């Protein structure tokens, strides 16, 4: 986002900065009950493997305190909780109340209650003191944040020295032919599937557009470094459809 501008992108549209949060909120309230379906349609079901790999390489250990942002579905929290164990804690934060409600209900039904906390919050202004967490994770949520630089800086602030941020997000496909097929699926197939299965093509079209507006691998790496993270590395998955960014607070 241009600091001198009063507009930002909402998909491929420019909207006033103050309106983006509300518009994104409407999208996720709309898709909350069908969020697993949405991810399956967007990724052919591979998002489940990406998330498992994301947690497996996170470096999170027993006893750690982890903040999982944009975690309203509970997918990442459910994977993290066995890793941090009985002595650890996972705080699930999401700006959208509907998403939090869905995720909390799902994990409660699975018997995952102890060591999990749920809170509605804005990633740009985290309600925690400095040096509070061993790790911060955010999966498929950073692209929807209005001021990513501000959010990344606040994630760095709440991490303990030596703590790490892990970002799992859709990114840039490297192979041109594969990229064309991916674009066709995203812009021609996905909205139609959204209308067919969820009665909502507009939200699914926005989600595809938001991926294309998200910073590519190198740009996001630079943003993390400017926010205060060191030793930032990038791991591409499935040809760059998604990438894991990891950085440390020193």
């Amino acid at each position: 986002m241009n600091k001198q501008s009063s507009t930002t992108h909402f998909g491929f549209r420019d909207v006033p900065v103050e309106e983006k949060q509300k518009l994104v909120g409407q999208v996720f309230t709309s898709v909350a009950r069908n969020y697993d379906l949405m991810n399956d349609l967007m990724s052919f079901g591979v998002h489940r493997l990406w998330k498992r790999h994301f947690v497996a390489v996170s470096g999170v250990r027993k006893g750690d305190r982890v903040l999982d942002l944009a975690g309203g579905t509970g997918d990442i929290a459910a994977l993290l909780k066995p890793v941090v164990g009985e002595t650890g804690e996972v705080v699930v934060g999401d700006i959208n109340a509907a998403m939090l409600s869905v995720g909390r209900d799902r994990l409660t039904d699975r018997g995952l209650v102890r060591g999990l906390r749920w809170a509605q919050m804005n990633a740009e202004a985290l309600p925690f003191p400095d040096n509070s967490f061993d790790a911060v994770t955010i999966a498929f949520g950073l692209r929807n944040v209005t001021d990513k630089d501000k959010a990344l800086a606040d994630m760095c602030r709440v991490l303990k020295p030596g703590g790490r941020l892990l970002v799992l997000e859709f990114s840039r496909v490297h192979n041109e032919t594969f990229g064309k097929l991916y674009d066709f699926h995203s812009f021609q197939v996905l909205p139609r599937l959204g209308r067919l299965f969820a009665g909502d093509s507009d939200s699914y079209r926005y989600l595809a557009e938001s991926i294309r507006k998200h910073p590519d691998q190198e740009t996001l790496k630079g943003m993390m470094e400017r926010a205060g993270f060191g030793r930032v590395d990038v791991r591409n998955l499935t040809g760059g459809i998604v990438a894991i960014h990891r950085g440390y607070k020193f």
Side-chain angles (χ1 to χ4, degrees), residues 125-190:
L126 299 173
F128 304 104
D130 298 356
N131 310 318
S132 295
F133 295 94
D134 298 289
V136 175
T137 59
I138 180 167
F140 303 118
L142 185 60
R143 72 181 187 277
N144 298 304
V145 174
T146 302
D147 192 333
K148 296 175 180 61
D149 292 313
K150 186 176 181 181
L152 290 169
D154 217 36
M155 294 175 205
C156 189
R157 178 187 65 78
V158 301
L159 278 168
K160 299 174 183 177
R164 58 214 166 277
L165 167 67
L166 294 113
V167 180
L168 174 65
E169 188 55 88
F170 288 104
S171 200
R172 292 293 186 271
V173 175
H174 298 304
N175 182 276
E176 183 177 352
T177 300
F178 185 34
K180 289 179 180 178
L181 291 172
Y182 181 49
D183 283 346
F184 178 79
H185 170 73
S186 298
F187 295 110
Q188 301 300 323
V189 178
L190 181 61

Side-chain angles (χ1 to χ4, degrees), residues 86-105:
E86 292 297 318
T87 58
E89 181 181 52
V90 179
V91 179
V92 183
D94 201 298
I95 199 169
N96 188 278
M99 294 291 287
L100 281 169
S101 178
V102 169
R104 184 171 55 242
D105 289 349

Side-chain angles (χ1 to χ4, degrees), residues 14-208:
D14 287 333
V15 298
V17 168
E18 62 273 13
E19 289 187 15
K20 179 172 179 176
Q21 183 175 311
K22 179 183 72 174
L23 292 169
V24 171
Q26 290 171 350
V27 169
F28 281 92
T29 297
S30 173
V31 304
R33 293 289 167 184
N34 293 297
Y35 195 72
D36 281 340
L37 170 64
M38 181 200 75
N39 281 328
D40 285 333
L41 294 176
M42 291 179 73
S43 71
F44 305 102
V46 183
H47 71 98
R48 302 171 192 276
L49 300 177
W50 292 335
K51 289 170 181 173
R52 290 192 189 102
H53 183 70
F54 178 61
V55 172
V57 303
S58 67
V60 171
R61 295 168 292 188
K62 184 177 180 180
D64 278 355
R65 188 173 189 233
V66 183
L67 173 62
D68 180 39
L69 291 171
T73 62
D75 288 355
I76 301 300
L79 295 169
L80 284 169
K81 187 62 190 71
V83 180
V84 302
E86 292 297 318
T87 58
E89 181 181 52
V90 179
V91 179
V92 183
D94 201 298
I95 199 169
N96 188 278
M99 294 291 287
L100 281 169
S101 178
V102 169
R104 184 171 55 242
D105 289 349
R106 287 174 56 196
L107 266 59
T108 300
D109 288 345
R110 292 170 56 182
L112 294 172
V113 178
R114 182 177 296 179
L116 287 171
R117 291 174 54 200
W118 303 80
Q120 189 172 4
M121 65 187 70
N122 188 334
E124 298 174 21
L126 299 173
F128 304 104
D130 298 356
N131 310 318
S132 295
F133 295 94
D134 298 289
V136 175
T137 59
I138 180 167
F140 303 118
L142 185 60
R143 72 181 187 277
N144 298 304
V145 174
T146 302
D147 192 333
K148 296 175 180 61
D149 292 313
K150 186 176 181 181
L152 290 169
D154 217 36
M155 294 175 205
C156 189
R157 178 187 65 78
V158 301
L159 278 168
K160 299 174 183 177
R164 58 214 166 277
L165 167 67
L166 294 113
V167 180
L168 174 65
E169 188 55 88
F170 288 104
S171 200
R172 292 293 186 271
V173 175
H174 298 304
N175 182 276
E176 183 177 352
T177 300
F178 185 34
K180 289 179 180 178
L181 291 172
Y182 181 49
D183 283 346
F184 178 79
H185 170 73
S186 298
F187 295 110
Q188 301 300 323
V189 178
L190 181 61
R192 290 176 171 82
L193 292 176
R195 183 174 64 246
L196 178 64
F197 289 104
D200 183 358
S201 61
D202 290 343
S203 293
Y204 286 73
R205 183 175 295 106
Y206 158 74
L207 291 165

